[in-house]
Amino acid sequence: MTLTQHPELPPTPRTGDGLPLRVRPEWWRRLVEEPDASQAGDLYASAERLPLTSPATTRGGAELSEVTFLAEAEPDTEWIVHLNGITDRRRETLRPCRLERVPGTRLLGGTFLIPTDAVLSYRLTDVTGLPDDAGGERSGWLEVHRRGIPDPGNPHRMPTPLGGVASVWHGPDAPWSGWPVSEVDGWVETSCDGVTVRVLPGNERVVVCFDAEYWRDLCLGAAVREAGLRHTLVQIGSGTREERAVALTSPEHAAEHLRRGLRAASAVLGREVLHADVVAGESFGGLAVAWLLARHPELVRAGVVQSGSFWHRAGGRWGDEGPGDLLRLLQQGGADVTRPVVVQVGTEEDLLLPLNRAYRDALLQQGAQLGYREVRGGHDYAWWRAGLIEALGELERLQR
């Protein structure tokens, strides 16, 4: 068996400044120009599920749906829709994602053209009193995030890394849909050298995920079991933002971080675990997996790299152009490529998409066993979680 290499996706049609295409459907224009409180209330109350999604049209080689986000709110309040990785491309202005109010009513709405195969999280946010450029600084953007709430009309939800809950939209042609709403019993929480480690005992096959802080509330155990996989799951905490940036960005730190998790898992399982059958990570976690595959193949039998931060270089900073340390090492032929790896990245990750393609190309050039998928989404657990289940299934079949 070989791993599946999905083709690259065509670019998502956007405005000139990179934002999603926004439209004003005729039915919405009429409602705003001839406002009727009863009609507006009925529109919201009668919606079987929000957001409203129209049949697809083709534009720029992509299938797009008109997706209308609705909110009911007190008069004189202002709201935006925050589509993760999409409307927040330009955080210095809230204007492009503001919802339009039907005058004299509680109803607000906004319609965007979104690919039918997208998987994304979003929140509705009351921005009353915030300046238009509130998101220009990190503190202001965190305040926008803090105010966000899930869509009351959408039952699909998930916790977010920054706190709170987001809604999840699966396009009609998305590769995955749905997710468990409750976790299975049996997780054991412990620690090693001050690092939190969570273990769900299963079969002999050990799967390690970095960032236990984020995964702990995402019902991963339930999703793995629903997929028919009996793996032992190990989630290793990454600590504070600063601690995470150290633990996951160099080969030696990543190796020691993994060893801590394996030692803790050994104590819980009552057997010595010297390596992981699969290690999975996202963003810096994806970079850590790539470093382990490249420099410490004795610790891992296979990897899942999601949205790997291949821009990272020692002493560098986010946004640096060109390949980072790991990618340069691989392109120069100085990395181990004997372990299979599944690489996944979102099409809306403007910096990471070309770098993850370069990582794929460098691996393929050196004969690595590789799976690859691009997903219509941003830097987002909305698709990372389902993509991980798909990757684990593929690797389990490969390694039987």
Side-chain angles (χ1 to χ4, degrees):
M1 176 187 168
T2 58
L3 296 170
T4 304
Q5 295 180 28
H6 296 272
E8 295 179 4
L9 296 178
T12 300
R14 306 174 187 169
T15 63
D17 52 5
L19 292 170
L21 301 175
R22 186 162 182 171
V23 295
R24 201 165 181 249
E26 179 62 23
W27 62 269
W28 179 260
R29 184 191 64 78
R30 290 197 305 269
L31 185 59
V32 170
E33 293 179 358
E34 302 174 13
D36 182 313
S38 176
Q39 184 180 359
D42 289 346
L43 172 65
Y44 188 86
S46 63
E48 293 185 5
R49 179 162 301 180
L50 294 176
L52 303 176
T53 303
S54 73
T57 59
T58 302
R59 183 180 296 197
E63 294 290 306
L64 306 174
S65 282
E66 289 186 0
V67 182
T68 301
F69 298 89
L70 299 177
E72 279 195 324
E74 293 299 318
D76 301 322
T77 58
E78 298 180 346
W79 289 72
I80 66 169
V81 58
H82 166 206
L83 306 177
N84 189 17
I86 299 179
T87 57
D88 56 359
R89 273 198 179 89
R90 289 188 57 200
R91 297 181 178 182
E92 70 274 12
T93 175
L94 301 176
R95 193 175 306 112
C97 48
R98 286 187 185 272
L99 299 180
E100 181 182 23
R101 184 179 292 275
V102 176
T105 76
R106 293 171 49 83
L107 185 66
L108 302 99
T111 303
F112 299 85
L113 294 179
I114 301 178
T116 59
D117 55 352
V119 181
L120 55 90
S121 64
Y122 70 95
R123 307 176 90 190
L124 304 173
T125 303
D126 182 351
V127 295
T128 307
L130 291 181
D132 181 65
D133 63 353
E137 299 291 336
R138 178 172 172 79
S139 60
W141 186 248
L142 290 176
E143 174 62 16
V144 172
H145 184 93
R146 186 190 67 78
R147 294 187 179 201
I149 62 171
D151 187 341
N154 183 348
H156 299 294
R157 299 181 177 186
M158 66 170 219
T160 75
L162 292 178
V165 177
S167 295
V168 179
W169 184 76
H170 300 91
D173 297 324
W176 318 288
S177 64
W179 191 258
V181 297
S182 60
E183 182 59 292
V184 295
D185 295 327
W187 283 94
V188 178
E189 185 162 318
T190 183
S191 66
C192 181
D193 297 337
V195 173
T196 298
V197 180
R198 304 179 71 241
V199 181
L200 180 65
N203 61 20
E204 295 295 306
R205 189 171 172 78
V206 175
V207 172
V208 173
C209 297
F210 294 125
D211 294 321
E213 298 88 348
Y214 305 152
W215 280 111
R216 67 181 307 133
D217 296 322
L218 286 171
C219 303
L220 180 62
V224 167
R225 298 296 183 253
E226 283 188 8
L229 303 173
R230 308 305 303 173
H231 308 333
T232 291
L233 301 182
V234 179
Q235 297 175 352
I236 307 175
S238 301
T240 66
R241 190 165 173 248
E242 293 74 20
E243 290 169 340
R244 183 174 185 267
V246 172
L248 301 180
T249 57
S250 77
E252 299 313 315
H253 284 134
E256 182 52 37
H257 200 57
L258 176 58
R259 290 188 187 103
R260 290 191 191 100
L262 296 179
R263 289 198 296 270
S266 297
V268 171
L269 298 171
R271 59 183 174 90
E272 190 173 30
V273 182
L274 298 176
H275 68 267
D277 293 282
V278 181
V279 179
E282 298 73 38
S283 193
F284 273 167
L287 175 64
V289 173
W291 272 125
L292 291 166
L293 295 168
R295 284 292 183 84
H296 289 282
E298 78 281 1
L299 293 177
V300 56
R301 296 295 181 262
V304 180
V305 173
Q306 296 181 302
S307 305
S309 296
F310 295 120
W311 57 270
H312 184 272
R313 59 180 66 100
R317 49 189 272 177
W318 168 258
D320 286 343
E321 294 184 2
D325 294 338
L326 180 282
L327 192 49
R328 285 202 303 271
L329 177 72
L330 185 62
Q331 290 170 337
Q332 293 165 4
D336 191 287
V337 295
T338 60
R339 301 305 193 201
V341 58
V342 174
V343 180
Q344 299 172 340
V345 64
T347 58
E348 310 313 298
E349 301 185 270
D350 294 346
L351 176 65
L352 298 183
L353 178 60
L355 291 173
N356 277 261
R357 286 175 174 174
Y359 178 63
R360 171 205 61 189
D361 293 344
L363 286 171
L364 289 176
Q365 187 174 15
Q366 297 180 51
Q369 195 160 21
L370 175 87
Y372 184 77
R373 181 191 274 280
E374 295 179 2
V375 181
R376 292 279 184 202
H379 208 64
D380 198 345
Y381 278 94
W383 71 261
W384 285 339
R385 57 186 188 172
L388 177 58
I389 300 300
E390 178 182 270
L392 291 179
E394 274 214 90
L395 289 170
E396 196 267 347
R397 291 187 291 273
L398 175 72
Q399 294 176 301
R400 278 177 183 165

